[in-house]
Amino acid sequence: EEALRIQKAKMGLKDACVAHTLLRMAEVNVFKKKFDASLVALEQVLFISSSFDENQAIDISLCHYLLGITYIAKENHEKAVASLLLSLEMRKVQFGPNSVECAAVQDKLGKAYGKLREFDKALESLVEALRIRKIELGNDSIDYAHSVFNLSEVHIAMEKYSQAFNCLNEAIRVFDMFPDEAGSLLLDAVVMKGDSLF
């Protein structure tokens, strides 16, 4: 925050360095689950970047991705979908459609669509995220497990308990390998697995 204050004082608000610092601050705030702070920072990044030409590129795809995560946390799923779709289009150009970067966006997009009960779109996005992550990272990666877990949530919302049960078994298998990274998701998956039996 001190670095940002100094940069704003020296260069003014509409400066690429200020925007980069705000983007990094937003990334930290998303990680710490401080979503009000991340939203303010990300909106400032978009405002600042609107005055730049393409040669002063800020990672706007990352900005929209972080906005999508922030909006999901704040339960504004329509805005989450809009931000994530923008991020996905940019990341397809930046990294290619089969990149892990696109898979990360597809995973969050599937989660947002699921909350909106747009299940066909949710399944399409989550299955695509799962496909990419399985190929690129393997089926023993924590990111793969996150996609399987998110897929199970959609199956439960659709009352497809058999599919949810299978997904939860697979998510638990991988989460068991990464107890520190999985955190409360391992417990959530175990509880959801029990619930899906009834």
Side-chain angles (χ1 to χ4, degrees), residues 96-148:
N98 293 315
S99 63
V100 292
E101 292 83 2
C102 285
V105 179
Q106 292 276 22
D107 187 65
K108 298 301 181 193
L109 191 55
K111 192 170 181 71
Y113 277 133
K115 296 292 184 182
L116 290 170
R117 303 189 67 78
E118 294 186 37
F119 295 129
D120 288 344
K121 290 179 180 178
L123 290 173
E124 182 182 344
S125 293
L126 288 168
V127 167
E128 181 63 5
L130 191 59
R131 181 190 69 78
I132 295 168
R133 285 175 164 176
K134 188 172 184 178
I135 292 168
E136 296 297 321
L137 304 172
N139 61 356
D140 289 338
S141 73
I142 192 75
D143 288 337
Y144 166 84
H146 280 288
S147 290
V148 176

Side-chain angles (χ1 to χ4, degrees), residues 12-16 19 44-58 60:
L13 180 62
K14 289 198 171 186
D15 180 80
Q44 288 180 7
V45 170
L46 289 179
F47 173 74
I48 294 167
S49 67
S50 67
S51 66
F52 295 159
D53 61 31
E54 290 184 17
N55 294 329
Q56 290 180 293
I58 295 165
I60 298 301

Side-chain angles (χ1 to χ4, degrees), residues 1-12:
E1 288 184 11
E2 181 62 14
L4 179 62
R5 187 189 65 75
I6 293 167
Q7 285 175 339
K8 282 182 178 179
K10 281 186 167 184
M11 297 171 250

Side-chain angles (χ1 to χ4, degrees), residues 25-39:
M25 283 177 57
E27 207 167 5
V28 169
N29 284 323
V30 165
F31 178 76
K32 291 182 174 180
K33 301 187 184 318
K34 295 181 177 178
F35 296 110
D36 289 336
S38 67
L39 183 59

